[in-house]
């Protein structure tokens, strides 16, 4: 089935990525009926992304582009008609700010902060709350010349020592400051070894809350909660840092909502419940079993968006439920309701009066800006309409089943372009990352490109996936067992439902956890004629000390460490089963992937080579774990080209 209709459609190509617009960061002015959002587009010439700001009138829906330089950064509303915009500082390690008039586009220098700033929030008067990256490895009073002399040396004294997409982080701390624009005074709020987490600000800007924890050896997975009196600078501890895992926090209707968990039932797979700050203590108001925010996977987003807002004095938050993500409304008494359902995935929200603005994707479509008011949903932008015009967009047709354990597994099939039921086609099993992530019915460029080249693409959410609650997502110490069963039974089910798929021309691919499962599958079955393993890991034992999350992820997910469960970790290592692999396999890895380190790809690749299995490896310089989602435009295309080349070689002989 073709979502966009028409008798003769062109296939989606890898270079079509250049025509997609990515929307993010929708924010509403507290001074007037205006909202601003960011639109990013890939640029082949610079091999980067151009980002510009657009404004929208929530009342009329009129949208207008307000910058054209392609270098838009973070912003906030300074006053009516004026934004305060962030840009890289002229001096290394600093951050510049400028005022931008929405009506004229004119800019004027505002101020410079002497650190790399992660986030800036407006408080009362001339005060701002600043989240800045501070390198505690060296004294702040070091001169520029002294710092330059240290560039060739990296000090490491704690875990994690690096972070994906960031680099080496040992000794670095996200630090909270108060900044007075009028006097230039900068007051440090958190200590030298304190790692800042989330922040929230009261409506009057006189109170702020923040989370985080102090550490000197290893970063904790729990956080404390603190209250800051903005006018006096005094801090009050509300919750010690060793009690709960705290996620997002938000002030709504004069109340502070806190997403947190004791992690005492299912450990890391538990979802955060909702708490309210009452009398200086946290009181649970809602047991929650769903991810807060959007966790439906696609390769067609770029940029950050807020999943929390205030609506009519209550908390509005996004919730991932099965194949969708939509907003729920939570009151201080714990009453929760779905504000409106959405057949797709909402990934960012903001509120202006009684109007909810949101960026979202519907089935077969790219991102657009939408609004909800008086019970009705209306599309405000059509920035991506032409990107898919005349293109074959295969519909993800539901193909779920009940597995041998009696559990429903949701899955979909995308038919190839010009599908003819009298012909046979190769088929590809595509697996998501995570594992606590979910496929839905969203447009995924990679899948549509493969369908446009004549492949059936089939995908499912096995046990371990998101959207079905913490119990369904909990596969601790079960990696490669129940999930493997689900993938294989789903493949059997798809072959039965789609007899046009040639069972002798099956391929399997996935990245991150999907890469782990690709490695596992090829070592435990030879039913696939080709495989592409991307940004994978294969050995929890070595991953433990190399991945930026290894020392926490591996211990929790495999219920072991190299010192108390070596055999258990090895049993769940795809590397153990490398001698049994027969499947020709392509490995794709980024040199700066610190989440699934390059060494993990090397170990599996070397093992296959050692055992005489046909295999290749393609490495991407200057890329990290996010290559397929936010990598350089030409690199993203090259990755798709390599995937297609491999499957064309082994599935279309």
């Amino acid at each position: 089935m073709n979502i966009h209709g028409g008798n003769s459609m062109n296939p989606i190509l890898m270079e079509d990525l250049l025509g997609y617009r990515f929307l993010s960061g929708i924010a509403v002015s507290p001074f007037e009926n205006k909202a601003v959002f960011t639109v990013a587009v890939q640029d082949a010439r610079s091999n980067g992304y151009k980002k510009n700001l657009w404004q929208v009138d929530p009342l009329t829906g009129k949208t207008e582009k307000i910058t054209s330089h392609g270098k838009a950064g973070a912003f906030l509303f300074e006053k009516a008609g004026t934004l305060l915009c962030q840009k890289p500082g002229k001096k290394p390690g600093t951050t510049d700010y400028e005022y931008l008039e929405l009506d004229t586009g004119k800019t004027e220098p505002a101020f410079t902060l002497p650190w790399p700033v992660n986030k800036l929030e407006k408080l009362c008067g001339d005060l701002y709350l600043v989240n800045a990256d501070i390198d505690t490895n060296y004294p702040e009073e070091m001169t520029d010349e002294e710092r330059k002399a240290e560039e060739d040396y990296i000090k490491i004294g704690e875990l994690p020592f690096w972070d994906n997409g960031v680099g080496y982080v040992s000794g670095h701390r996200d630090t909270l400051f108060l900044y007075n624009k009028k006097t230039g005074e900068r007051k440090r709020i958190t200590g030298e070894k304190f790692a800042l987490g989330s922040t929230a600000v009261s409506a009057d800007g006189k109170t702020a809350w923040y989370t985080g924890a102090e550490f000197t050896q290893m970063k904790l997975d729990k956080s404390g909660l603190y209250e800051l009196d903005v006018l006096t600078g005094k801090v009050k501890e509300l919750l010690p840092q060793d009690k709960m895992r705290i996620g997002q926090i938000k002030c709504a209707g004069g109340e502070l909502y806190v997403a947190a968990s004791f992690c005492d039932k299912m450990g890391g797979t538990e979802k955060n419940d909702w708490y309210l700050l009452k009398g200086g203590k946290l009181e649970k108001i809602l047991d929650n079993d769903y991810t807060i925010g959007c966790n439906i996977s696609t390769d067609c987003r770029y940029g950050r968006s807020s999943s929390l807002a205030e609506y009519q004095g209550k908390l509005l938050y996004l919730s991932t439920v099965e194949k969708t993500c939509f907003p729920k409304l939570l009151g201080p008494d714990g009453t929760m309701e779905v504000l409106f359902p959405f057949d797709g995935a909402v990934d960012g929200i903001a509120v202006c009066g009684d109007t909810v603005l949101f960026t979202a994707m519907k089935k077969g479509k790219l991102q657009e800006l939408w609004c909800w008011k008086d019970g009705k949903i209306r599309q405000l932008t059509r920035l991506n309409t032409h990107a898919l015009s005349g293109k074959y967009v295969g519909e993800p047709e539901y193909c779920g089943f009940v597995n041998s354990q009696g559990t429903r597994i949701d899955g979909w099939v995308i038919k190839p372009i010009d599908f003819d039921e009298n012909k046979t086609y190769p088929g590809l099993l595509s697996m998501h990352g995570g594992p606590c992530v979910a496929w839905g019915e969203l447009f995924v460029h990679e899948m549509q490109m493969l369908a446009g080249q004549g492949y059936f693409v089939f995908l499912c959410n096995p046990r371990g996936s998101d959207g079905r609650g913490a119990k369904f997502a909990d596969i601790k110490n079960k990696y490669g067992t129940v999930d493997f069963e689900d993938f294989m039974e789903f493949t059997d089910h798809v072959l039965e439902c789609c007899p046009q798929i040639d069972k002798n021309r099956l391929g399997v691919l996935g990245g991150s956890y999907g890469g782990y499962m690709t490695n596992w599958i090829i070592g435990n079955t030879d039913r696939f004629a080709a495989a592409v393993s991307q940004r994978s890991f294969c050995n929890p034992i070595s991953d433990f000390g190399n991945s930026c999350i290894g020392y926490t992820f591996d211990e929790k997910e495999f219920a072991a460490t190299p010192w108390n469960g070596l055999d258990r970790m090895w049993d769940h290592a795809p590397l153990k089963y490398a001698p049994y692999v027969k499947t020709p396999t392509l490995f794709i890895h980024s040199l700066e992937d610190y989440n699934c380190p390059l060494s993990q790809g090397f170990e599996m690749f070397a093992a296959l080579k050692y055992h005489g299995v046909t295999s290749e490896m393609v490495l991407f310089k200057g890329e990290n774990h996010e290559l397929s989602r936010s990598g350089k435009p030409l690199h993203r295309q090259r990755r798709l080209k390599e995937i297609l080349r491999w499957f064309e070689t082994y599935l279309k002989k």
Side-chain angles (χ1 to χ4, degrees):
M1 182 175 179
N2 172 23
I3 291 178
H4 291 273
N7 296 321
S8 179
M9 309 295 287
N10 295 316
I12 286 177
L13 305 175
M14 58 189 73
E15 57 266 29
D16 287 339
L17 273 167
L18 296 173
Y20 301 165
R21 267 55 182 169
F22 308 112
L23 285 63
S24 65
I26 178 73
V28 171
S29 170
F31 311 106
E32 56 193 329
N33 289 319
K34 285 188 177 181
V36 173
F37 59 99
T38 302
V39 177
V41 63
Q42 296 186 64
D43 179 53
R45 179 173 296 181
S46 64
N47 203 18
Y49 293 78
K50 289 187 175 181
K51 297 180 289 183
N52 284 298
L53 300 181
W54 289 61
Q55 65 176 326
V56 57
D57 185 325
L59 299 180
T60 66
K62 179 182 178 181
T63 57
E64 178 185 9
K65 187 176 181 179
I66 54 178
T67 69
S68 299
H69 49 61
K71 300 179 180 179
F75 64 89
L76 57 82
F77 286 91
E78 176 69 11
K79 60 183 180 180
T82 303
L83 296 180
L84 180 62
C85 301
Q86 178 180 321
K87 62 180 185 177
K90 295 179 181 178
K91 182 179 177 181
T94 65
T95 306
D96 289 340
Y97 287 88
E98 65 181 12
Y99 298 117
L100 170 65
E101 293 183 8
L102 292 176
D103 292 338
T104 66
K106 292 182 179 179
T107 61
E108 178 184 341
F111 52 81
T112 296
L113 293 176
W115 329 282
V117 175
N118 302 312
K119 185 178 181 181
L120 185 74
E121 296 177 87
K122 189 170 177 58
L123 302 171
C124 58
D126 293 310
L127 295 175
Y128 297 86
L129 194 67
V130 184
N131 173 342
D133 174 23
I134 303 299
D135 184 354
T136 67
N137 290 302
Y138 304 104
E140 291 186 36
E141 60 271 15
M142 283 182 67
T143 65
D144 292 343
E145 186 175 337
E146 289 173 329
R147 288 184 181 276
K148 187 172 181 59
E150 294 292 323
E151 287 181 353
D152 289 347
Y153 315 104
I154 299 172
K155 291 184 178 180
I156 293 179
E158 60 194 23
L159 288 176
F161 48 80
W162 57 16
D163 191 18
N164 186 70
V166 180
Y168 288 92
V169 295
S170 177
H172 284 253
R173 294 291 188 273
D174 286 351
T175 304
L176 194 66
F177 293 88
L178 280 175
Y179 171 66
N180 189 311
K181 176 180 66 175
K182 186 175 182 179
T183 66
E185 180 184 3
R186 304 184 294 268
K187 182 175 182 178
R188 184 171 187 152
I189 302 300
T190 54
E192 181 181 13
K193 295 300 180 180
F194 188 92
L196 181 66
S198 303
T199 59
V201 176
S202 63
D204 62 9
K206 294 182 180 180
T207 306
W209 296 269
Y210 62 94
T211 68
E214 181 177 304
F215 73 96
T216 56
Q217 293 293 321
M218 186 171 71
K219 189 175 183 179
L220 306 175
D221 58 359
K222 295 185 177 180
S223 300
L225 177 64
Y226 307 87
E227 183 176 280
L228 168 66
D229 185 314
V230 170
L231 297 179
T232 65
K234 293 183 178 180
V235 174
K236 180 192 302 183
E237 182 186 83
L238 303 175
L239 182 74
Q241 68 177 37
D242 61 348
K243 300 297 182 183
M244 302 182 77
R245 180 192 67 197
I246 302 179
Q248 301 180 74
I249 60 177
K250 175 70 177 180
C251 187
E255 307 279 3
L256 183 69
Y257 291 80
V258 179
S261 173
F262 284 103
C263 300
D264 55 350
K265 298 174 183 177
M266 295 185 197
T269 59
E270 283 184 42
K271 305 302 180 183
N272 284 336
D273 297 318
W274 280 112
Y275 290 78
L276 206 65
L277 182 63
K278 291 186 177 181
K281 296 183 179 181
L282 292 184
E283 179 180 313
K284 185 192 289 189
I285 60 172
L286 182 69
D287 287 314
N288 173 58
D289 202 26
Y290 296 97
T291 292
I292 298 167
C294 184
N295 211 13
I296 307 298
S297 188
T298 178
D299 54 5
C300 291
R301 295 191 190 102
Y302 182 84
R304 295 183 178 181
S305 296
S306 176
S307 57
L308 306 179
E310 178 182 352
Y311 179 74
Q312 296 184 347
K314 298 180 180 181
L315 177 71
L316 188 65
Y317 69 97
L318 296 182
S319 181
T320 295
V321 181
E322 298 197 357
K323 65 175 183 176
T324 64
C325 182
F326 50 80
K328 294 178 178 178
L329 192 62
L330 178 63
D333 60 352
T335 302
M336 186 274 290
E337 61 181 303
V338 175
L339 186 64
F340 59 85
F342 191 79
D343 185 20
V346 178
D347 50 57
I349 53 173
V351 174
C352 182
D354 58 357
T355 301
V356 177
L357 296 168
F358 60 98
T359 50
M361 297 176 69
K362 290 183 75 72
K363 181 192 292 187
K365 296 183 179 180
L366 295 163
Q367 278 182 312
E368 297 290 357
L369 180 67
W370 305 71
C371 76
W372 177 89
K373 182 179 181 181
D374 298 329
K376 296 181 180 179
I377 293 176
R378 182 160 57 102
Q379 184 175 337
L380 299 182
T381 63
R382 285 171 172 76
L383 295 174
N384 279 306
T385 300
H386 297 297
L388 301 180
S389 179
K391 296 286 186 176
Y392 170 74
V393 179
E395 178 180 357
E397 299 179 18
Y398 187 76
C399 194
F401 73 108
V402 176
N403 69 11
S404 57
Q405 303 300 311
T407 302
R408 170 174 56 88
I409 302 298
D410 293 323
W412 298 265
V413 173
I414 301 174
K415 292 176 180 175
I417 192 171
D418 299 326
F419 171 69
D420 184 340
E421 63 180 12
N422 296 312
K423 294 182 178 180
T424 59
Y425 301 84
L428 300 174
L429 170 62
S430 180
M431 300 178 293
H432 62 61
C436 194
V437 176
W439 288 130
E441 297 176 346
L442 300 187
F443 181 95
V444 179
H445 178 262
E446 174 184 307
M447 294 183 190
Q448 295 295 339
M449 186 274 292
L450 291 169
Q453 296 301 314
Y455 294 89
F456 266 90
V457 180
F458 51 102
L459 54 145
C460 73
N461 291 327
R463 281 170 286 179
S465 301
D466 203 2
R468 298 273 296 279
K471 185 176 181 180
F472 185 87
D474 184 15
I475 57 169
K476 290 193 301 292
N477 204 27
K478 298 176 183 177
Y479 278 60
T481 61
V482 297
D483 45 4
F484 175 65
E485 293 171 7
D486 289 346
F487 280 126
M488 294 304 98
E489 290 183 17
F490 175 63
T491 300
D492 293 337
H493 177 68
V494 168
L495 291 175
E496 183 178 337
C497 295
C498 304
Q500 296 83 8
I501 300 178
D502 185 346
K503 66 178 183 179
N504 295 314
R505 292 192 291 157
L506 293 179
V508 60
L509 71 161
S512 195
Y513 163 75
Y516 167 92
M517 282 308 304
T518 301
N519 294 340
W520 182 273
I521 286 171
I522 61 176
N524 285 272
T525 179
D526 59 1
R527 70 184 304 178
F528 294 93
V532 178
S533 176
Q534 305 164 71
R535 59 187 187 280
S536 69
F537 70 105
C538 67
N539 183 0
I541 299 169
S542 56
D543 183 73
F544 185 93
N546 287 292
S547 168
C548 60
I549 60 172
Y551 67 99
T552 56
F553 179 90
D554 294 324
E555 180 178 21
K556 292 176 182 176
E557 297 302 302
F558 299 98
T561 71
W563 302 278
N564 66 16
L566 190 68
D567 290 343
R568 194 181 318 151
M569 296 182 87
W570 184 237
D571 285 342
H572 291 281
L575 187 65
K576 176 179 179 179
Y577 309 95
Y580 310 108
V581 176
K582 298 179 182 178
T583 309
T585 303
L586 172 67
F587 294 92
I588 294 178
H589 225 105
S590 298
L591 266 63
E592 296 175 15
D593 188 339
Y594 302 143
N595 196 318
C596 293
L598 180 60
S599 57
Q600 290 293 302
F602 279 155
E603 284 190 38
M604 196 68 187
F605 170 70
L608 265 60
K609 281 296 182 185
Y610 181 82
H611 290 94
V613 180
T614 300
S615 54
E616 291 184 18
M617 194 167 190
V618 179
L619 306 178
F620 286 78
K621 295 181 179 179
E623 296 291 355
N624 57 56
H625 198 66
E626 300 302 309
L627 168 63
S628 65
R629 296 178 284 255
S630 60
K632 295 180 178 65
L634 298 182
H635 292 181
R636 292 179 68 174
Q637 290 184 46
R638 178 59 180 267
R639 167 186 163 273
L640 294 172
K641 182 178 180 180
E642 295 294 341
I643 292 173
L644 188 60
R645 173 185 66 85
W646 195 256
F647 287 135
E648 292 284 297
T649 300
Y650 293 99
L651 302 185
K652 287 190 175 182
K653 289 183 179 179

